[in-house]
């Protein structure tokens, strides 16, 4: 009986092994079944989707959701046109008012009519007109702008609740992710184009934002201020510019990340202006050439060349030579990544800064300083940002003031230079202390620089120091 039981158990086990082996290796989807190998094969219908979206991905819902939230923005401004011949012969100093019209796009972000667009779309506008997707037209009120980040906030009083876009976390977007650009290029309302995110934190060396989302979705003149959305129709960016020598789309376009746009909008609503915090470090991103010149091994991260006095970075103990590699949970490899992250923060926000020093990694909390209170110094000249009163008095939009002079060679000119407003350094515009610092950090103390400025009498002068 025991022998029979043993034979039965062996037969049962053998049958189970045979069946399992067939299932695993031979049957369809088994290891040795047709089409299965260590080489991963694309689905048989993959070639049918070349240039199209992957199977199962549908843009229609996202497009339908977004087109109703994107509006046409009409900017009307006026300028006086004079006739120099009439002025010369007849002393005629008058002129004719000439209307100028510009167009762009905007995105409704609340049911009660708040709209976000680009600052350059509504710049110098005397009247702003909004046309919804349902063809209804309204006059818009300008709530606030941030020219540095190229964002403006408008408001219309509609007679109905409006469909609006919700913001996604742009930090969570990924290179290669499908996106839609929705806007009004060439006055063609409700145009939708598709593409992928080509790069994040793209630095284009502009005087303002340094952290664009780059996409290959077609964007043309008139798309500015329109929506860049993910496949769920959530807002991940505000389309703002293209890279082209012709002025039309040739392959890449750029958008202000939604996290930055949202922070600017919240600041304008709460404070009336943008609250811009800064870390308090100056330097540059590392690469092989920069690392070789500095004599260090690391080729990634942000190298600190200078720490601003009284800044949060100085109080936290950061010093020249430190390499910032992470802010909170975001890795930092480029200046654009650092700038983009800080631009989503306000003064007094706390940021966990991870940095390398002498081969070891440290993490310290840094409280961001307010940009307005910080200054820069070069060749014994201390600079500070100008305020709204200065802009109005001298009829300028930006510049930095000479706050103090500690240069013995310039002491004889102290009274004349103190309070003077610098417009550019070596023909590079200096809209604020941050921009001036960026120009000056590449200059040697012994190198002569040319400065264009406005003196206390409102006269433009140029000096070389």
């Amino acid at each position: 009986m025991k022998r029979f039981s043993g034979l039965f158990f062996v037969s049962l086990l053998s049958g189970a092994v045979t069946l399992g082996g067939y299932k695993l290796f031979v049957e369809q989807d088994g290891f040795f079944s047709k089409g299965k190998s260590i080489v991963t094969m694309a689905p048989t219908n993959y070639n049918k989707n070349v240039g199209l979206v992957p199977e199962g991905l549908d843009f229609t819902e996202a497009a339908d959701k977004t087109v109703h939230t994107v509006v046409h923005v009409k900017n009307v401004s006026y300028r006086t046109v004079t006739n120099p011949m009439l002025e010369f012969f007849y002393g005629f100093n008058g002129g004719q008012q000439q209307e100028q019209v510009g167009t762009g796009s905007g995105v409704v972000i609340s049911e009660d009519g708040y709209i976000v667009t680009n600052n350059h779309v509504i710049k110098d506008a005397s009247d702003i007109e909004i046309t919804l997707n349902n063809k209804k037209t309204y006059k818009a009120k300008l709530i606030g702008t941030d020219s540095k980040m190229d964002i403006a906030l408008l408001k219309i009083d509609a007679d109905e609740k409006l469909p609006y876009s919700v913001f996604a976390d742009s930090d969570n977007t990924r290179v290669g992710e499908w996106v839609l650009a929705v806007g009004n290029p060439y006055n063609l309302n409700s145009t939708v184009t598709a593409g992928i995110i080509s790069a994040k934190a793209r630095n284009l060396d502009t005087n303002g934002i340094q952290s664009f989302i780059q996409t290959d979705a077609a964007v043309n003149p008139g798309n500015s201020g329109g929506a860049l959305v993910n496949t769920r129709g959530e807002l991940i960016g505000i389309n703002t510019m293209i890279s082209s020598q012709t002025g039309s789309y040739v392959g890449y376009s750029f958008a202000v990340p939604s996290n930055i746009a949202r922070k600017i909008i919240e600041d304008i609503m709460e404070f009336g202006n943008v609250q811009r915090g800064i870390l308090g470090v100056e330097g540059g991103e590392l690469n092989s050439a920069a690392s070789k010149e500095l004599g260090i091994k690391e080729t990634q991260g942000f190298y600190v060349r200078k720490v601003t006095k009284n800044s949060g970075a100085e109080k936290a103990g950061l010093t020249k030579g430190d390499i910032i590699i992470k802010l909170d949970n975001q890795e930092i490899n480029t200046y654009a990544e650092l700038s983009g992250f800080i631009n989503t923060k306000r003064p007094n926000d706390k940021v966990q800064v991870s940095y390398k020093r002498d081969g070891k990694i440290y993490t310290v909390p840094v409280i961001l300083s307010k940009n307005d209170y910080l200054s820069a110094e070069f060749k014994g000249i201390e600079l500070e940002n100008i305020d709204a009163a200065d802009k109005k008095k001298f009829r300028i939009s930006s510049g930095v003031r000479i706050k103090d002079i500690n240069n013995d060679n310039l002491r004889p000119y102290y009274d004349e230079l103190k309070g003077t407003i610098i417009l550019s350094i070596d023909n590079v515009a200096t809209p604020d202390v941050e921009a001036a610092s960026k120009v000056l950090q590449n200059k040697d103390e012994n190198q002569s620089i040319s400065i264009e400025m406005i003196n206390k009498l409102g006269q433009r002068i140029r000096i070389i120091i």
Side-chain angles (χ1 to χ4, degrees), residues 41-55:
M41 300 297 292
T44 54
N45 62 346
Y46 182 82
N47 62 339
K48 297 179 182 178
N49 288 326
V50 174
L52 303 177
V53 300
E55 186 178 6

Side-chain angles (χ1 to χ4, degrees), residues 234-251:
E234 300 163 339
L235 193 66
I236 62 172
I238 302 296
N239 296 316
T240 188
M241 65 183 298
I242 58 179
S243 179
S244 169
Q245 294 179 342
T246 65
S248 298
Y249 175 76
V250 291

Side-chain angles (χ1 to χ4, degrees), residues 175-437:
V175 174
E177 178 180 340
W178 283 95
V179 291
L180 300 181
V182 185
N184 304 288
Y186 304 116
N187 285 323
L188 300 172
N189 288 1
S190 305
T191 297
V192 180
T193 56
I196 62 168
I197 294 177
S198 306
K200 294 176 62 178
R202 180 67 79 196
N203 184 351
L204 300 181
D205 291 324
T206 65
N207 288 326
I209 187 172
Q210 302 287 339
S211 189
F212 289 98
I213 294 175
Q214 178 182 326
T215 173
D216 65 354
V219 170
N220 279 294
N223 267 112
S224 291
L228 185 70
V229 300
N230 58 26
T231 53
R232 294 183 297 276
E234 300 163 339
L235 193 66
I236 62 172
I238 302 296
N239 296 316
T240 188
M241 65 183 298
I242 58 179
S243 179
S244 169
Q245 294 179 342
T246 65
S248 298
Y249 175 76
V250 291
Y252 295 112
S253 53
F254 303 91
V256 179
S258 59
N259 285 2
I260 293 177
R262 183 182 62 194
K263 186 262 182 185
I264 291 169
I265 293 163
E266 290 172 349
D267 281 358
I268 291 173
M269 292 293 293
E270 185 174 351
F271 305 103
N273 55 38
V274 179
Q275 304 289 299
R276 189 162 285 122
I278 65 171
L279 196 60
V281 296
E282 298 175 20
E285 60 190 66
L286 291 174
N287 52 41
S288 295
S291 299
K292 184 177 181 181
E293 183 178 340
L294 292 167
I296 58 178
K297 295 180 180 179
E298 290 82 0
T299 57
Q300 288 185 311
F302 182 86
Y303 182 83
V304 178
R305 291 193 179 93
K306 182 181 178 182
V307 178
T308 307
K309 292 179 182 178
N310 301 320
S311 67
E314 184 188 55
K315 294 173 182 177
L318 270 72
T319 62
K320 178 181 178 181
D322 290 341
I323 301 171
I324 297 174
I325 57 174
K326 185 180 289 188
L327 296 177
D328 287 346
N329 294 318
Q330 181 170 320
E331 292 186 0
I332 302 298
N333 293 315
T334 65
Y335 172 75
E337 290 174 340
L338 184 144
S339 174
F341 183 86
I342 296 299
N343 282 332
T344 64
K345 304 295 181 180
R346 295 189 177 95
N348 299 319
D349 281 353
K350 185 183 289 185
V351 176
Q352 297 294 326
V353 179
S354 299
Y355 63 93
K356 284 185 180 180
R357 180 188 293 174
D358 300 326
K360 296 182 179 179
I361 297 177
Y362 303 88
T363 300
V364 296
V366 175
I367 297 176
L368 301 184
S369 309
K370 190 172 182 180
N371 190 32
D372 292 344
Y373 294 153
L374 294 179
S375 59
E377 187 173 338
F378 183 77
K379 289 193 173 186
I381 301 175
E382 192 175 350
L383 306 175
E384 65 179 356
N385 287 327
I386 61 175
D387 55 25
D390 291 319
K391 295 177 182 178
K392 184 177 180 180
K393 178 181 177 181
F394 296 107
R395 297 181 181 179
I396 55 177
S397 59
S398 62
V400 293
R401 182 195 291 109
I402 296 179
K403 180 181 180 181
D404 200 4
I405 296 175
N406 301 309
N407 186 325
D408 291 336
N409 294 328
L410 297 175
R411 283 287 179 187
Y413 313 102
Y414 182 89
D415 292 335
E416 297 159 46
L417 291 177
K418 185 178 179 181
T420 297
I421 296 174
I422 295 176
L423 302 176
S424 67
I425 298 173
D426 282 346
N427 296 318
V428 178
T430 52
D432 52 35
V433 167
E434 185 180 357
S437 297

Side-chain angles (χ1 to χ4, degrees), residues 39-166:
V39 177
T40 303
M41 300 297 292
T44 54
N45 62 346
Y46 182 82
N47 62 339
K48 297 179 182 178
N49 288 326
V50 174
L52 303 177
V53 300
E55 186 178 6
L57 185 58
D58 188 357
F59 290 154
T60 56
E61 184 177 345
D64 184 61
K65 184 186 298 184
T66 307
V67 293
H68 300 294
T69 71
V70 174
V71 300
H72 181 271
V73 181
K74 181 181 177 182
N75 166 356
V76 180
S77 60
Y78 301 91
R79 69 170 185 169
T80 301
V81 180
T82 60
N83 188 322
M85 296 297 291
L86 289 177
E87 290 184 13
F88 180 78
F89 287 108
Y90 303 106
F92 179 73
N93 293 321
Q96 290 183 332
Q97 288 285 311
Q98 187 177 77
E99 182 181 278
Q100 292 183 310
V101 177
T103 60
S105 305
V107 185
V108 180
I109 57 171
S110 70
E111 65 179 14
D112 57 345
Y114 281 99
I115 296 168
V116 63
T117 185
N118 286 145
N119 177 67
H120 76 260
V121 170
I122 52 83
K123 186 178 180 182
D124 301 325
S126 299
D127 297 298
I128 303 172
E129 186 178 275
I130 300 297
T131 302
L132 304 180
N133 192 55
N134 62 11
K135 308 303 181 184
K136 290 185 178 181
T137 299
Y138 300 91
K139 293 290 185 182
K141 176 183 176 184
L142 178 61
I143 303 300
T145 67
D146 182 5
S147 58
K148 183 173 183 179
M149 299 300 173
D150 201 16
I151 291 294
L153 182 63
L154 310 175
K155 175 70 166 66
I156 61 173
D157 294 321
D159 52 7
E160 59 185 320
K161 290 185 178 181
L162 303 177
Y164 60 93
S165 287
V166 297

